[in-house]
Amino acid sequence: MSDVDSAYSGTGGSVGASRNAGQDYELAQRLAHLPPYARSLLRIQVPVVVTLASTRQPTSRVLDLAPGTILHFAKPCDDPLVVSVGRCDVAVGETVKVGDKFGIRVTSMLMPEEKFERVKPRKDSAVSVQESVA
């Protein structure tokens, strides 16, 4: 999981092959203006997980797993894969073959879930609004 493509340089590399040189230069300039502590945060390695499918099984079934056992999943094979960093889903993509290995082409980024809290009106403000309307 922690293996990173050796061609990846951190400012583009093989991932930036689709970028043009102007975008790479712009990214390098923005990174150069960051304070040193912020640049050091960019070197922290985090687990990146691509989930093919998941299922829940009783412990007895898990204990019975052996070579050759086939697990069935409800997810169709053409559904997109989910990329997670830590425990947060960050992107969705499709499987691609890179040489003799597999990879994922990111098709969209997932926005963090917005959390809304219900606003409860105060009793005194509701009265003053009704009085001003009348």
Side-chain angles (χ1 to χ4, degrees), residues 9-92:
S9 67
T11 59
S14 64
V15 175
S18 62
R19 291 188 197 163
N20 64 30
Q23 288 174 323
D24 287 341
Y25 179 75
E26 181 183 332
L27 177 62
Q29 290 299 313
R30 288 194 344 224
L31 291 175
H33 291 303
L34 289 174
Y37 69 88
R39 284 194 306 261
S40 68
L41 292 175
L42 296 175
R43 290 191 294 273
I44 295 174
Q45 293 189 3
V46 294
V48 177
V49 177
V50 177
T51 305
L52 174 65
S54 63
T55 187
R56 295 181 65 90
Q57 297 287 322
T59 307
S60 59
R61 173 94 164 111
V62 174
L63 292 173
D64 289 339
L65 291 177
T69 303
I70 296 176
L71 292 174
H72 296 277
F73 298 98
K75 184 176 178 179
C77 62
D78 57 349
D79 269 5
L81 305 177
V82 177
V83 180
S84 303
V85 175
R87 294 183 183 163
C88 299
D89 296 344
V90 295
V92 175

Side-chain angles (χ1 to χ4, degrees), residues 120-132:
K120 297 178 184 175
R122 295 186 317 208
K123 291 181 183 180
D124 59 334
S125 66
V127 172
S128 62
V129 170
Q130 289 175 354
E131 290 172 357
S132 65

